[in-house]
Amino acid sequence: MMKDLAFTINGNAVMVRIDPHTLLLDVLRETLDLTGTKRGCGEGECGACTVVVDGEAVNSCIYPAWKVEGCNVLTVEGLGSREEVHPLQESFLEKGAVQCGFCTPGMLMSAYALLQKTREPDEKVIKKALAGNLCRCTGYKKIIEAVKDAAGKQNKL
Amino acid sequence: MFHKYYRPKHLAEALAVLSEYEGRARVMAGGTDLIVQLNKGDISFEAAVDITNIKELRYIIEEDGIKIGALTTHTDLAQSSLLRQKAPSLADAAGEVGSLQIRNVGTVGGNIVNAQPAADAAIPLMALDAVATIVSASGARQVALEMLYHPGGGTILDPCSEILTEITFRPPSDMGGGSAFGRLSKRKALSLPVFNAAVVLLPAADDKNIMDARIVMGPVARIPFRAREAENLLRGNAFNEDLFHDAADTASREAKPRDSLFRGSSAYRKKLAQVIVYRSLIKAWKDMGC
């Protein structure tokens, strides 16, 4: 039986009518049309679906939607927009940390969660925080450089 | 697939739902394993009882030993300064699970109940001689982690009527001892262990001899496996590297890993057991502050 689920998405309160077994990724992509969050492996192995729930990075593809009842969910759409690019996104662009772009939203959300907790992460800490996000194009070097760059302009984050 | 989703705030409420469904409802914590199994169609049940809203089951405290609430996440374990100091094997192991996204959601209770033979948190907990508290509508019982497993695989806990609520153990450091965890996987993240092991070493009153040793390895059997012969070899003897070599050789002989295209050949993993058990013994010895 479908029921109403209330939570906050990118700063806005929403109510969606969903099934008991609906997963967060499907609420985001299918119900709310927020297609920035990607479906990769569908089993928590690639991180393309990473979103931030109450400050913690989670894999939305294996996250029951009912877990976010009353929570704050942040997706890449809430990070920045084409007009107002978030400093972290700016760093990804400037450092060339984007190739095909499919892993990028997940990378950004993992990096965002890290920078909210750790003001000056070193390379080891960045790698550990991004280890759950697979990229099949770039080899990660530029992505790590981008996160370092963003950490350097913390006052804007 | 399930048709009802419950998120009780209290244990009693969760148990009431389970009773009402008479075996057709299943306990779910983080869901990082369960949702994948559901999606593959490996399992199904009528109602999911998500217990992660029971906030009082998430804690790590020191009170007559260390007590850990079953809903404590792997991130909580890995970041716990208490565990880093008193049971580093558990903190290290929890930090190796899956990825940060998985560790943020997956719980220590789930790691145990899911009963994988190389469950990264269960392996050190068994070496720490941990005891699990299991609650059902008919009361609570305490079971040594080791007794929780069926020799043929899986646990004796019924996830449709029982809830694992707490894990307790006496930290080795309280007895002058040490603990360590070792692991090898294909990659450094998002990779199941090819082999993992946890050891605990406890010194005798003279500090020169080993009073007790526990060595647990995975995945070399259907459940986490204790290398009892290696433990016996260590017990009563003086701490030294040669003895650790002998014990690691013995543990390697006891291990019965299967040939696996995914995890590697049995011969390779027996060799790994030798290396990783030896290194873990050295590390646990150092953890004693020697």
Side-chain angles (χ1 to χ4, degrees):
Chain A
M1 196 180 68
M2 288 183 119
K3 273 185 158 180
D4 291 334
L5 166 70
F7 65 107
T8 303
I9 179 78
N10 300 328
N12 302 311
V14 287
M15 178 105 80
V16 291
R17 180 151 286 202
I18 60 164
D19 280 316
H21 57 265
T22 304
L23 298 168
L24 179 57
L25 178 65
D26 295 313
V27 171
L28 298 173
R29 290 185 58 88
E30 311 299 331
T31 315
L32 297 173
D33 241 359
L34 295 171
T35 53
T37 306
K38 305 303 180 202
R39 181 190 305 279
C41 65
E43 48 188 52
E45 298 276 343
C46 80
C49 66
T50 304
V51 299
V52 177
V53 177
D54 284 349
E56 306 283 352
V58 309
N59 291 316
S60 64
C61 75
I62 53 169
Y63 204 70
W66 287 98
K67 281 185 184 289
V68 304
E69 194 168 21
C71 295
N72 274 301
V73 181
L74 186 75
T75 69
V76 70
E77 286 90 348
L79 204 59
S81 63
R82 205 171 275 272
E83 293 73 36
E84 277 183 82
V85 180
H86 188 276
L88 180 59
Q89 292 172 312
E90 215 171 65
S91 295
F92 268 64
L93 291 170
E94 281 167 10
K95 296 290 171 186
V98 180
Q99 280 194 31
C100 88
F102 198 82
C103 74
T104 311
M107 288 283 182
L108 285 167
M109 300 322 289
S110 283
Y112 178 83
L114 168 69
L115 294 179
Q116 288 296 302
K117 284 174 195 274
T118 313
R119 302 313 278 177
E120 285 171 35
D122 60 21
E123 185 162 327
K124 205 177 144 200
V125 171
I126 294 173
K127 281 185 174 173
K128 188 101 182 156
L130 296 185
N133 295 79
L134 303 187
C135 166
R136 301 289 79 168
C137 308
T138 73
Y140 305 104
K141 195 168 175 5
K142 288 177 185 299
I143 295 171
I144 290 155
E145 278 173 15
V147 179
K148 265 192 216 164
D149 183 66
K153 45 185 184 186
Q154 283 284 3
N155 52 342
K156 285 197 265 174
L157 293 182
Chain B
M1 185 71 101
F2 46 86
H3 307 291
K4 276 280 207 179
Y5 196 95
Y6 293 92
R7 287 199 88 203
K9 286 196 170 75
H10 303 286
L11 194 57
E13 222 181 307
L15 293 170
V17 176
L18 292 173
S19 296
E20 186 193 324
Y21 275 85
E22 295 175 327
R24 291 168 289 118
R26 194 189 198 286
V27 174
M28 178 191 310
T32 52
D33 284 316
L34 211 55
I35 295 294
V36 174
Q37 292 164 15
L38 278 163
N39 284 346
K40 285 184 177 158
D42 292 348
I43 51 168
S44 102
F45 37 86
E46 201 172 313
V49 183
D50 180 341
I51 56 172
T52 54
N53 241 1
I54 307 176
K55 306 290 183 206
E56 72 253 28
L57 292 185
R58 185 173 176 184
Y59 53 84
I60 305 171
I61 51 166
E62 193 172 23
E63 187 190 286
D64 191 22
I66 289 178
K67 295 180 163 39
I68 301 174
L71 295 179
T72 302
T73 66
H74 291 90
T75 298
D76 296 336
L77 297 176
Q79 290 179 347
S80 160
S81 51
L82 178 67
L83 293 181
R84 285 256 159 251
Q85 191 197 338
K86 300 216 157 184
S89 58
L90 180 56
D92 287 347
E96 298 279 342
V97 169
S99 64
L100 182 61
Q101 292 95 316
I102 299 288
R103 292 193 294 276
N104 282 343
V105 177
T107 66
V108 64
N111 192 265
I112 294 168
V113 175
N114 200 41
Q116 291 299 313
D120 284 299
I123 294 267
L125 280 168
M126 201 194 269
L128 290 162
D129 208 6
V131 173
T133 302
I134 298 165
V135 175
S136 72
S138 53
R141 58 180 174 146
Q142 296 209 303
V143 183
L145 207 54
E146 206 177 337
M147 306 308 289
L148 198 65
Y149 293 93
H150 281 301
T155 71
I156 58 165
L157 181 144
D158 172 19
C160 298
S161 65
E162 296 181 303
I163 299 174
L164 193 159
T165 56
E166 186 179 73
I167 300 110
T168 58
F169 59 87
R170 193 160 171 221
S173 59
D174 284 5
M175 297 164 272
S179 70
F181 177 77
R183 183 190 210 256
L184 186 92
S185 54
K186 284 188 185 170
R187 302 184 303 268
K188 285 182 182 164
L190 289 170
S191 195
L192 293 171
V194 166
F195 179 85
N196 60 5
V199 308
V200 167
L201 290 174
L202 300 178
D206 62 3
D207 268 350
K208 288 192 178 64
N209 287 320
I210 299 168
M211 186 186 75
D212 200 7
R214 290 173 69 95
I215 302 173
V216 181
M217 310 183 285
V220 299
R222 290 183 180 201
I223 56 175
F225 179 83
R226 262 185 81 182
R228 288 177 192 279
E229 286 175 40
E231 292 174 2
N232 284 337
L233 191 74
L234 291 166
R235 229 169 263 135
N237 284 306
F239 288 95
N240 78 74
E241 291 174 18
D242 290 338
L243 177 67
F244 290 169
H245 270 300
D246 290 345
D249 290 349
T250 305
S252 166
R253 273 198 301 279
E254 288 178 80
K256 301 272 183 292
R258 288 183 302 183
D259 284 316
S260 157
L261 286 174
F262 174 65
R263 287 187 152 129
S265 68
S266 172
Y268 170 66
R269 292 195 292 143
K270 278 173 94 73
K271 182 69 194 166
L272 263 185
Q274 198 183 8
V275 173
I276 291 178
V277 169
Y278 174 73
R279 286 182 189 164
S280 301
L281 286 166
I282 293 286
K283 207 169 157 191
W285 191 21
K286 284 188 181 148
D287 182 46
M288 288 172 47
C290 291

